[in-house]
Amino acid sequence: MTKTLHHDNAASVLTLIDEYAAISTEGQGVTRLAYTDIDTTAKQKFMSLCEKEGMTTRMDSAGNVIARRPGVQSEQAVACGSHLDTVVNAGRYDGTVGVFAALEVIRMMNSRNIQTKHPVEIVVFASEESSRFGVATIGSKAMAGKLDLDVLAQAKDKSGTYFPDAVRSQGLNFDDFGKAKRTSAELKAFIELHIEQGPLLETQEVQIGVVTSIAAPTRYRLEVMGQASHSGTTNMSIRKDALAAAAEIVLEVERLALQEQTNYSVGTVGFLQVSPGSANTIPGRVEMIAEFRSNHGESKDRLKIELRRKIDAVQKRRGLTIHTHLLGDEWPVLMDPSVREVIREACLENGLTFVEMASGAGHDAMNMASLCPTGMVFIPSVGGLSHHPEEFSNADDIQAGVVTLYDSILRLAEPIRS
Ligand SMILES: [Zn+2]
């Protein structure tokens, strides 16, 4: 039995979601790419909303917004937040729900005149999406001291703008990005509220997902070097067809991931480029990107070993060469057991149904987890749809998310009884 919820908090969140949908590049849905004028406008507008609630605000050297409500007895903050940048033609809810729910938490504390032992912070992370520069969660990586500055120095967007130039146009200095690093002593805990971006909560008719771990991707760029030749005159027995070899690998990635699916492991080949790409020429070269994600390190290790075995076998049998470039290899990140417990208690107290679940997508929370005890709250995405203009979460679920976040943050920040 679930309690009927009032929608007051969801209504404020939805009003902001509508307003921010207009802060977008023209086109379908919302496009607010990281470190653009539009993105900076969105962040500055949010800073003034926080200031209206009596918070002090600052933008750190990596472009993260940090708004703070002081604590009474401690400097160690309890933080919550998410991101305001989007993919191209995005929906309205990814990132924004977590940011505006965090503001709603502060508004609730203000209207109830609640003081807390620990300060409460809202963090809006810069460049969570990899859409512009191919690197995801840049702001939280900077905060956790995990940013690879050499990679970013060389990163370019589609128009050819280098990362350091892009951030300079927004008043930031790339040489100072390292200064965004924070210490564990500054933060007691962090919680990110986010839409699920998948169908599990909706299909199971559960209101809240308490995230147990965040799946880490391992990504390879594979170059299959075969031999291009005439498709009419080259015998089947002497061909070195790069696409036929690539096809074997595509199917193997799927087969291996299916074998490991009980460990929430998934495998995808999402990019394939065939050269020369003509109907009467045997493909001579294929470039492909294969990825595995898993919530179990050992499961992913097995996937990596098996894929290597397959690549070697295909090379040998077909007499061609496959170059393997490892683009990224991350270990799954566990959410903190005590923060999970706090979130579960908040759900129970509000009569909300919840399920413990893994996150298949990456989030800023995975970087924050190396700084302080971290948790995530998921709310349902209708149809599991995300990174799409029709992405939607209903008011009931947003309300449930806000009250869960509010109670969780309050427990961690410790209200002062007066
Ligand atoms: Zn997001």
Side-chain angles (χ1 to χ4, degrees):
M1 210 10 220
T2 60
K3 236 172 22 182
T4 314
L5 293 163
H6 298 289
H7 287 172
D8 307 3
N9 308 113
S12 319
V13 170
L14 286 165
T15 302
L16 284 174
I17 283 175
D18 283 345
E19 280 176 35
Y20 272 70
I23 309 174
S24 167
T25 314
E26 268 179 48
Q28 251 209 322
V30 184
T31 302
R32 197 160 51 234
L33 290 177
Y35 301 117
T36 57
D37 290 349
I38 282 168
D39 178 47
T40 302
T41 302
K43 287 192 284 191
Q44 283 169 345
K45 183 178 152 90
F46 186 72
M47 286 168 89
S48 60
L49 288 174
C50 292
E51 284 156 16
K52 270 189 203 142
E53 296 305 319
M55 304 179 90
T56 55
T57 62
R58 67 186 174 99
M59 193 177 284
D60 74 7
S61 55
N64 297 307
V65 170
I66 300 169
R68 189 169 166 110
R69 186 182 194 266
V72 175
Q73 287 169 18
S74 169
E75 287 300 311
Q76 196 181 36
V78 174
C80 52
S82 193
H83 61 98
L84 288 174
D85 68 309
T86 73
V87 298
V88 175
N89 305 133
R92 297 173 168 212
Y93 298 80
D94 177 359
T96 49
V97 170
V99 172
F100 301 144
L103 179 63
E104 203 50 28
V105 166
I106 300 293
R107 286 174 172 167
M108 287 162 84
M109 289 172 67
N110 286 350
S111 71
R112 295 171 190 184
N113 231 333
I114 292 172
Q115 298 301 313
T116 52
K117 178 180 171 190
H118 295 273
V120 177
E121 281 186 4
I122 304 176
V123 183
V124 180
F125 294 104
S127 195
E128 193 274 342
E129 304 288 0
S130 59
S131 306
R132 187 168 178 201
F133 292 103
V135 182
T137 64
I138 292 175
S140 54
K141 278 184 182 132
M143 208 174 270
K146 290 174 154 193
L147 207 53
D148 190 333
L149 292 170
D150 295 335
V151 168
L152 273 184
Q154 298 302 320
K156 276 191 289 192
D157 68 7
K158 282 203 179 85
S159 70
T161 305
Y162 278 98
F163 186 83
D165 297 326
V167 300
R168 189 178 310 117
S169 78
Q170 301 307 312
L172 299 166
N173 183 350
F174 179 62
D175 295 333
D176 289 340
F177 261 53
K179 294 181 188 161
K181 186 176 173 342
R182 299 182 78 179
T183 63
S184 298
E186 293 176 59
L187 294 160
K188 185 189 177 196
F190 172 74
I191 299 181
E192 179 169 7
L193 170 72
H194 204 280
I195 57 168
E196 183 200 341
Q197 302 179 283
L200 186 135
L201 293 173
E202 190 189 34
T203 25
Q204 297 194 0
E205 295 181 34
V206 177
Q207 290 165 296
I208 296 290
V210 182
V211 177
T212 51
S213 61
I214 301 175
T218 293
R219 214 167 270 157
Y220 302 96
R221 186 162 64 82
L222 303 174
E223 258 182 296
V224 186
M225 311 300 286
Q227 178 68 60
S229 60
H230 196 292
S231 67
T233 60
T234 314
N235 262 337
M236 294 309 287
S237 59
I238 58 164
R239 291 181 179 210
K240 290 179 181 174
D241 185 330
L243 181 56
E248 282 197 57
I249 293 166
V250 172
L251 291 176
E252 183 70 357
V253 165
E254 183 187 48
R255 193 187 69 80
L256 291 172
L258 273 167
Q259 238 173 35
E260 293 280 343
Q261 64 179 327
T262 47
N263 293 315
Y264 193 80
S265 295
V266 290
T268 310
V269 175
F271 175 84
L272 200 87
Q273 201 165 43
V274 183
S275 306
S278 80
N280 60 359
T281 308
I282 298 162
R285 182 178 175 277
V286 168
E287 190 181 335
M288 59 204 283
I289 296 180
E291 69 159 37
F292 290 121
R293 294 178 190 238
S294 178
N295 279 281
H296 290 261
E298 293 79 12
S299 167
K300 204 161 65 158
D301 279 346
R302 283 194 293 274
L303 290 167
K304 283 152 60 180
I305 291 166
E306 288 303 317
L307 181 64
R308 184 70 257 169
R309 215 170 263 165
K310 181 69 177 183
I311 289 170
D312 290 343
V314 169
Q315 285 190 110
K316 209 167 156 200
R317 180 161 35 78
R318 292 181 174 269
L320 38 69
T321 309
I322 303 173
H323 298 299
T324 309
H325 311 272
L326 186 65
L327 296 178
D329 186 21
E330 287 167 51
W331 197 254
V333 177
L334 294 179
M335 296 291 96
D336 183 79
S338 63
V339 176
R340 281 163 55 187
E341 173 68 24
V342 165
I343 298 169
R344 285 196 304 267
E345 281 169 9
C347 291
L348 288 171
E349 190 170 300
N350 289 287
L352 299 168
T353 54
F354 64 92
V355 64
E356 303 226 51
M357 63 182 290
S359 170
H363 294 285
D364 291 306
M366 66 192 179
N367 298 319
M368 293 306 283
S370 67
L371 266 184
C372 62
T374 293
M376 280 197 88
V377 175
F378 276 174
I379 60 164
S381 298
V382 172
L385 211 61
S386 187
H387 286 187
H388 189 282
E390 279 162 36
E391 176 183 274
F392 182 72
S393 290
N394 64 51
D396 254 343
D397 294 329
I398 291 172
Q399 183 66 28
V402 173
V403 297
T404 302
L405 186 66
Y406 175 78
D407 273 347
S408 304
I409 293 295
L410 209 58
R411 278 160 198 264
L412 290 163
E414 300 175 45
I416 304 288
R417 316 244 169 252
S418 53

